[in-house]
Amino acid sequence: MADLGGTYHLGGELPVTRMGYGAMQLAGPGVWGPPKDHDTAVAVLREAVERGVTHLDTSDYYGPHTVNALIKEALHPYPESLVIVTKVGARRSEDKGWPAALSAADLTEAVHDNLRNLGVDALDVVNLRLSNAALDYPVPMSLAEPFGVLAELREQGLIRHLGVSHVSAEQLDEAKAIAPVVCVQNQYNLAHRESDDLVDKCAAEGIAFVPYFPLGGFSPLQSGLLDDCAARVGATPMQVALAWLLQRSPSMLLIPGTSSPAHLRENLAAASLELPPDVLADLDRIGAA
């Protein structure tokens, strides 16, 4: 079994493997409906946990509802070590869009949907998602009102820890003034480095940084320099991209997703890949470009 990048303690108390698993790709095309291959989707979830993954990322608007139902089918009753992180702040429309859903009623309903479909009494971590980056919804200037709703649900015991997603440093500080924040989810990878300063801020403040689209998302990372670096270390380009993220910051947690058992194993193996300084320097040039 790979070491999965070691362990990080979310909020100082929830130990998770730094290499986790994101469940979004288990839904059907367009993150809509059930998986193309139900049995394989169940097998991927079970293998991830069997191989030691303790950080599972999801949302009830994946599907909607179908991915959380699949997680419950595959893994419930959950291992004590498993930490399930979900997100709220959007919903799915009939045209398969991702409109924002940030009202108190929307957020409360979303939390209860996650509780019911995952089959738990309390959610380990809930991220407030301010926008869907893929569709470029505008980010509210203030997150005080929606984050305050989640803070109240946390006080009620329905949520253990809170995080934020697609935020600026200023919005992170605003959230921290309302309730403790254990993680930030922003788009970040070799090619998209807009959150560089926020990565360092999170590390300094003991907050996990969890990059979504670590491999480029809907536009996979492509670079001749990345291919060259991968050849030099005897790994795949995607493994090198993941290894670079793990070495970028000690508070970086990865949640690459896949619906393929073989791809899952390839991703997990990246946690054991140590990139030498010359390769790191060349990879940094991709972001600079």
Side-chain angles (χ1 to χ4, degrees):
M1 181 185 296
D3 66 3
L4 301 183
T7 300
Y8 184 90
H9 288 75
L10 283 170
E13 67 174 38
L14 285 181
V16 294
T17 49
R18 292 185 64 211
M19 180 68 79
Y21 174 75
M24 184 177 74
Q25 292 188 34
L26 294 182
V31 201
W32 186 268
K36 292 180 179 179
D37 186 328
H38 172 274
D39 292 347
T40 299
V42 168
V44 167
L45 284 164
R46 290 177 176 167
E47 181 168 346
V49 172
E50 288 166 0
R51 288 180 176 269
V53 167
T54 61
H55 178 196
L56 176 60
D57 182 83
T58 186
S59 175
D60 206 63
Y61 56 68
Y62 294 162
H65 313 306
T66 56
V67 169
N68 276 356
L70 193 69
I71 290 170
K72 181 181 177 182
E73 176 189 347
L75 300 175
H76 195 278
Y78 303 112
E80 187 175 342
S81 61
L82 184 64
V83 174
I84 300 178
V85 179
T86 190
K87 63 190 72 64
V88 297
R91 61 180 176 82
R92 301 305 300 277
S93 56
E94 291 185 2
D95 63 356
K96 302 182 182 179
W98 306 75
L102 293 167
S103 71
D106 285 334
L107 295 171
T108 301
E109 180 181 9
V111 166
H112 283 279
D113 283 345
N114 277 278
L115 288 165
R116 179 180 62 256
N117 291 321
L118 288 170
V120 295
D121 296 324
L123 300 168
D124 292 327
V125 183
V126 175
N127 285 310
L128 174 65
R129 176 84 168 209
L130 289 187
S131 74
N132 185 286
L135 300 180
D136 198 27
Y137 282 106
V139 177
M141 290 299 294
S142 171
L143 53 64
E145 186 172 339
F147 197 73
V149 172
L150 295 185
E152 290 180 9
L153 294 172
R154 175 176 171 267
E155 290 296 320
Q156 294 172 22
L158 299 180
I159 301 170
R160 295 189 177 94
H161 296 280
L162 296 174
V164 288
S165 178
H166 200 61
V167 296
S168 65
E170 292 75 20
Q171 288 167 324
L172 172 58
D173 288 338
E174 184 181 24
K176 288 170 54 189
I178 298 169
V181 174
V182 303
C183 57
V184 169
Q185 279 196 10
N186 276 18
Q187 182 177 7
Y188 188 78
N189 54 49
L190 266 173
H192 293 91
R193 306 276 295 278
E194 294 85 358
S195 288
D196 255 335
D197 290 343
L198 191 53
V199 170
D200 295 332
K201 175 181 172 67
C202 286
E205 297 180 6
I207 297 171
F209 188 95
V210 188
Y212 63 81
F213 296 158
L215 297 175
F218 299 115
S219 300
L221 295 174
Q222 292 180 333
S223 165
L225 183 54
L226 176 58
D227 292 341
D228 175 68
C229 289
R232 283 152 58 190
V233 297
T236 70
M238 297 301 96
Q239 285 178 319
V240 169
L242 292 173
W244 177 85
L245 285 166
L246 285 174
Q247 290 182 234
R248 168 64 180 82
S249 168
S251 68
M252 190 82 71
L253 306 181
L254 303 190
I255 49 168
T258 180
S259 59
S260 159
H263 191 201
L264 170 70
R265 293 168 206 140
E266 180 182 305
N267 288 341
L268 298 184
S272 301
L273 183 60
E274 189 73 22
L275 302 177
D278 62 309
V279 170
L280 289 172
D282 284 343
L283 293 171
D284 284 339
R285 289 165 47 199
I286 297 175

